[in-house]
Amino acid sequence: MSEEAQGRQPTVTPLRVVVALCLFAPFVAMLWVSSYAKVEPTFIGIPFFYWYQMAWVLISTALTMIAYQLWQRDQRARKAGASK
């Protein structure tokens, strides 16, 4: 193996796995319809089916923000590692 190949950082890192999970979780939650296709429990008179989906709008926003921040951290670390 060449020195250049040995010094490279791996493409799949634990941080990138966390980023992928943050972005993938909302898709799984929304595509698994049988888990939330029900009326009870209601929240302030709103059936579970609706408030669950609306809650995931907020959760997805938070997870996307977290994924973006982690991605930025990863990119800064890669640039710092490449310049050494």
Side-chain angles (χ1 to χ4, degrees):
M1 231 181 192
S2 69
E3 287 180 34
E4 200 175 292
Q6 290 175 351
R8 271 193 282 170
Q9 296 175 348
T11 304
V12 178
T13 62
L15 189 62
R16 287 183 175 199
V17 171
V18 171
V19 168
L21 289 174
C22 284
L23 297 174
F24 188 65
F27 288 103
V28 172
M30 291 293 93
L31 290 176
W32 187 19
V33 178
S34 63
S35 70
Y36 64 92
K38 51 190 170 186
V39 175
E40 296 294 327
T42 59
F43 177 68
I44 60 172
I46 302 171
F48 181 73
F49 181 78
Y50 295 110
W51 70 257
Y52 178 83
Q53 292 178 64
M54 293 310 295
W56 269 100
V57 169
L58 299 174
I59 294 167
S60 297
T61 302
L63 288 173
T64 302
M65 288 171 39
I66 291 167
Y68 177 76
Q69 293 297 322
L70 292 174
W71 181 257
Q72 292 298 322
R73 181 184 299 172
D74 182 62
Q75 294 304 304
R76 283 192 303 268
R78 283 174 120 17
K79 282 184 183 178
S83 66
K84 286 184 180 180

